[in-house]
Amino acid sequence: MLELQNISLQIEENGKTKQIIQNLNLTLDDHKFVVITGPNGSGKSTLAKIIAGIQTPTSGTILFNGQDITHTSITERARMGISFAFQQPVRFKGITVKDLIRLAAGTKLSTSCACDYLSEVGLCARDYINREVNASLSGGELKRIEIAMTIARKAVLSVFDEPEAGIDLWSFHHLIRVFEKMYQEISGSIVIISHQERILNLADEIVLLADGKIVKTGSKEEILPDLLNTSRGCRYFMESRS
């Protein structure tokens, strides 16, 4: 279980203090598929980075299975089972797909085992296992390789920051199927930052964020109908500013 208690983040911008996250409280239960959504600039990606340990909150406490990890690094959190996938996956010239999957697994997997993880995300293993993770790979291919790494890592909590960003429609459709399968087969929780309806439809729980504050949380049955209704969805976000 992940608990965010009274989390705030302030930054200095042009000589002024800007509030990015405001006194946010959120509990992410085990074995859940959670989607965090909201308008641009609402603090969604910042919240994901706070969970992963890339950014440290100005105030508040983060508990992971009861342990205070507020000032724990991203590396230490990864060892604890928290995985983070960037909006734009990193390319590594000279490093192969097999190298990355072995690094994620934390052991020298056989080529056959590494190929199994690629097959899980719908990639033909023999075409990818020895390829360099460079500009020759498309955005959709990189996203699926990154998910294969997450599966190999056997993360307790997997966080994805807008996984649909920068990929074509075919890759997006395949990505949805991969997330569905991943959630069925892993024992951990998945948190996705997204505003895509098809991803929202996968969620056990949806968290609405606006102006760095939680507007509402609930099941997709509770949240999605009003969120997709333009006037009601706008009302949620306008009320958060009052």
Side-chain angles (χ1 to χ4, degrees):
M1 177 187 291
L2 184 78
E3 298 174 78
L4 306 179
Q5 300 177 348
N6 303 313
I7 295 296
S8 293
L9 177 67
Q10 299 173 345
I11 63 170
E12 294 296 321
E13 190 174 86
N14 299 322
K16 296 181 179 180
T17 300
K18 184 176 181 181
Q19 194 83 24
I20 307 298
I21 301 293
Q22 304 183 52
N23 198 36
L24 185 147
N25 291 277
L26 179 64
T27 297
L28 301 175
D29 292 324
D30 295 335
H31 313 304
K32 287 289 184 70
F33 195 125
V34 179
V35 178
I36 300 174
T37 192
N40 291 338
S42 60
K44 302 186 300 296
S45 291
T46 299
L47 180 57
K49 290 173 183 175
I50 287 173
I51 292 171
I54 297 170
Q55 287 188 289
T56 302
T58 308
S59 62
T61 303
I62 304 171
L63 300 176
F64 185 56
N65 293 329
Q67 180 178 344
D68 188 341
I69 62 166
T70 310
H71 299 285
T72 301
S73 70
I74 184 172
T75 303
E76 292 169 317
R77 292 189 200 193
R79 292 194 186 105
M80 296 171 72
I82 299 176
S83 174
F84 181 78
F86 288 91
Q87 191 176 124
Q88 297 296 333
V90 181
R91 300 172 191 267
F92 300 92
K93 187 176 180 181
I95 296 179
T96 67
V97 172
K98 180 167 63 177
D99 293 334
L100 283 184
I101 293 176
R102 284 177 169 174
L103 282 170
T107 184
K108 193 171 182 180
L109 293 173
S110 67
T111 299
S112 175
C113 287
C115 285
D116 287 342
Y117 288 118
L118 287 178
S119 298
E120 285 284 315
V121 297
L123 293 177
C124 181
R126 68 172 179 269
D127 293 338
Y128 287 90
I129 196 69
N130 292 312
R131 284 182 65 174
E132 282 191 23
V133 186
N134 56 26
S136 69
L137 293 168
S138 70
E141 289 169 330
L142 282 170
K143 297 276 182 168
R144 279 185 271 168
I145 290 166
E146 195 167 42
I147 294 172
M149 291 169 61
T150 300
I151 296 170
R153 191 177 289 119
K154 295 180 170 57
V156 177
L157 175 63
S158 302
V159 183
F160 295 88
D161 185 10
E162 296 194 30
E164 71 274 11
I167 63 173
D168 57 62
L169 187 60
W170 185 90
S171 294
F172 175 69
H173 290 324
H174 199 101
L175 197 64
I176 294 296
R177 293 196 293 272
V178 169
F179 280 131
E180 288 174 329
K181 186 175 182 182
M182 180 181 174
Y183 186 47
Q184 289 167 1
E185 295 183 357
I186 69 169
S187 58
S189 296
I190 298 172
V191 175
I192 299 183
I193 309 299
S194 180
H195 52 77
Q196 288 288 339
E197 182 179 349
R198 287 192 64 188
I199 292 180
L200 289 164
N201 264 308
L202 298 176
D204 295 317
E205 182 178 352
I206 295 174
V207 178
L208 295 184
L209 202 66
D211 295 327
K213 297 180 288 187
I214 292 178
V215 179
K216 192 170 184 178
T217 63
S219 68
K220 64 184 175 186
E221 290 80 14
E222 294 171 318
I223 301 292
L224 204 48
D226 279 352
L227 187 60
L228 297 177
N229 181 307
T230 304
S231 61
R232 292 178 183 173
C234 287
R235 188 190 71 230
Y236 281 144
F237 300 127
M238 290 301 292
E239 286 175 350
S240 76
R241 293 180 168 91
S242 61

